[in-house]
Amino acid sequence: CNNFCTYCIVPYVRGRERSRNAKNIIDEVRRVASEGYKEVMLLGQNVNSYGNDTDGEITFAQLLKEVCTVDGIERVRFMTSHPKDISDELIEVMASEDKICKQLHLPIQCGSDRILKLMNRKYTKEKYLQTVKKVRDAMPNIVLTTDIIVGFPGETEEDFLETMEVVKEVQYDSAFTFIYSKRTGTPAAVMENQIPDDVVKDRFDRLLAEVQEISRERCARFEGQTMDVLVEDVNDHDSSLVTGRLTNNLLVHFKGTEDLIGKIVDVHLDECRGFYYMGTMISK
Ligand code: SF4
């Protein structure tokens, strides 16, 4: 990673960004498609800056389009996107390619511009919210997830309340919440004003309660719809059920047998149970 967020050790231990050769990626996707795989995920610490180190030969959006042309691949996912690098081209390609799952992980980390600056995130709350608007305008049903850090050095109650405001405004489908923890060797580890544990814990609990309430409501919005599900496994707790994934990444459990694993089937979403669904298979 080239970004050097001040709390993160990744750039020090993993080195700089390197973009794999596009042809090799496509060849690999063709190979797994020929083996019967239906879904691929393109992974990187910051996938949106793919190609920046190869003189813009191919952008990440163009790579995604190429991956979508591979026969046999029916679902394409990617993560993680840095909010500063989401391009209009990427949003357009996501919206127009049916194979690209309508799910975007967009880590905000904090809603206060002052803390975002201390974190070296290189975007403001306003810029982030503009990106969210563009994404939702292009794909109204998109599932949007995020990461949030609580208790970064110097975070005041006002800064924290700004994060809460963003959470309420964006209405994330889910959010991974973290308590800030020092990584030796990073700039944030030696910053003054480290926040006392009890203050961080109190903020974390308030954030988690808000995030979970919103998630429950958001998850339930697909109830009653029939959607395609890629079956992944026999259910761990009840072997008469199989577990699969919607394109938006939510899990669904329904009656089924092992031979369905790896297949995409239509499932009616009968009931949302918090963060997952119980369903009924309509057709194979
Ligand atoms: Fe890079 Fe992500 Fe770490 Fe920031 S948080 S330095 S973008 S890996």
Side-chain angles (χ1 to χ4, degrees):
C1 182
N2 294 359
N3 290 316
F4 291 92
C5 303
T6 53
Y7 53 82
C8 179
I9 198 73
V10 168
Y12 303 95
V13 294
R14 300 293 306 277
R16 298 293 71 73
E17 288 172 359
R18 293 175 301 278
S19 299
R20 280 183 59 193
N21 176 280
K23 184 178 173 307
N24 290 349
I25 296 172
I26 301 299
D27 286 348
E28 191 178 337
V29 173
R30 286 207 182 98
R31 182 170 54 73
V32 297
S34 73
E35 291 168 7
Y37 289 91
K38 293 194 165 58
E39 177 176 316
V40 289
M41 180 184 279
L42 304 186
L43 267 180
Q45 291 292 349
N46 180 10
V47 284
N48 311 114
S49 57
Y50 176 82
N52 287 356
D53 55 343
T54 54
D55 290 334
E57 254 170 43
I58 174 169
T59 63
F60 183 62
Q62 289 159 352
L63 177 69
L64 275 174
K65 269 185 123 164
E66 282 289 312
V67 171
C68 290
T69 64
V70 175
D71 285 341
I73 293 298
E74 296 185 37
R75 290 180 172 188
V76 180
R77 298 184 194 276
F78 60 91
M79 75 182 305
T80 296
S81 302
H82 194 302
K84 77 177 171 55
D85 293 321
I86 292 264
S87 65
D88 291 349
E89 184 195 20
L90 177 67
I91 296 171
E92 266 172 48
V93 168
M94 267 191 96
S96 63
E97 290 287 346
D98 286 345
K99 288 185 181 179
I100 300 180
C101 296
K102 301 300 177 272
Q103 169 216 355
L104 185 65
H105 186 65
L106 204 55
I108 186 164
Q109 308 299 7
C110 177
S112 148
D113 286 345
R114 197 180 68 80
I115 298 293
L116 285 171
K117 200 153 193 222
L118 287 172
M119 288 177 162
N120 194 30
R121 289 291 290 172
K122 303 189 182 95
Y123 52 83
T124 59
K125 175 176 78 175
E126 195 189 337
K127 179 86 200 339
Y128 181 94
L129 292 174
Q130 279 169 5
T131 302
V132 167
K133 182 171 183 323
K134 272 190 202 170
V135 168
R136 285 229 170 102
D137 284 350
M139 294 165 279
N141 253 336
I142 194 155
V143 160
L144 208 56
T145 58
T146 198
D147 295 330
I148 302 169
I149 295 172
V150 179
F152 187 82
E155 181 190 75
T156 62
E157 177 65 14
E158 287 69 35
D159 294 320
F160 171 71
L161 291 176
E162 286 200 68
T163 301
M164 291 285 271
E165 281 308 309
V166 172
V167 165
K168 284 179 197 158
E169 183 169 343
V170 174
Q171 298 276 304
Y172 294 105
D173 292 89
S174 78
F176 301 93
T177 48
F178 303 91
I179 286 180
Y180 167 76
S181 79
K182 273 188 190 179
R183 295 280 178 267
T184 307
T186 60
V190 290
M191 285 179 183
E192 288 175 0
N193 296 323
Q194 301 283 329
I195 311 297
D197 289 351
D198 57 333
V199 176
V200 179
K201 175 81 175 52
D202 171 64
R203 288 179 191 163
F204 181 81
D205 290 348
R206 282 187 280 157
L207 177 67
L208 193 62
E210 185 68 47
V211 156
Q212 288 187 339
E213 192 184 325
I214 294 170
S215 287
R216 254 182 234 111
E217 281 169 22
R218 297 285 299 168
C219 177
R221 76 192 197 274
F222 301 107
E223 202 171 85
Q225 294 187 29
T226 297
M227 296 174 96
D228 58 290
V229 174
L230 174 56
V231 183
E232 295 189 349
D233 223 336
V234 173
N235 189 283
D236 286 342
H237 305 290
D238 180 347
S239 60
S240 71
L241 302 176
V242 289
T243 298
R245 203 172 286 271
L246 298 167
T247 60
N248 60 28
N249 218 24
L250 291 170
L251 289 177
V252 189
H253 309 292
F254 57 97
K255 288 264 178 238
T257 46
E258 201 176 351
D259 59 302
L260 293 173
I261 294 173
K263 294 192 173 136
I264 294 180
V265 295
D266 286 337
V267 175
H268 181 265
L269 305 178
D270 302 332
E271 186 192 351
C272 179
R273 297 214 182 140
F275 306 104
Y276 65 90
Y277 277 97
M278 298 306 295
T280 305
M281 187 167 68
I282 302 295
S283 70
K284 286 194 191 182

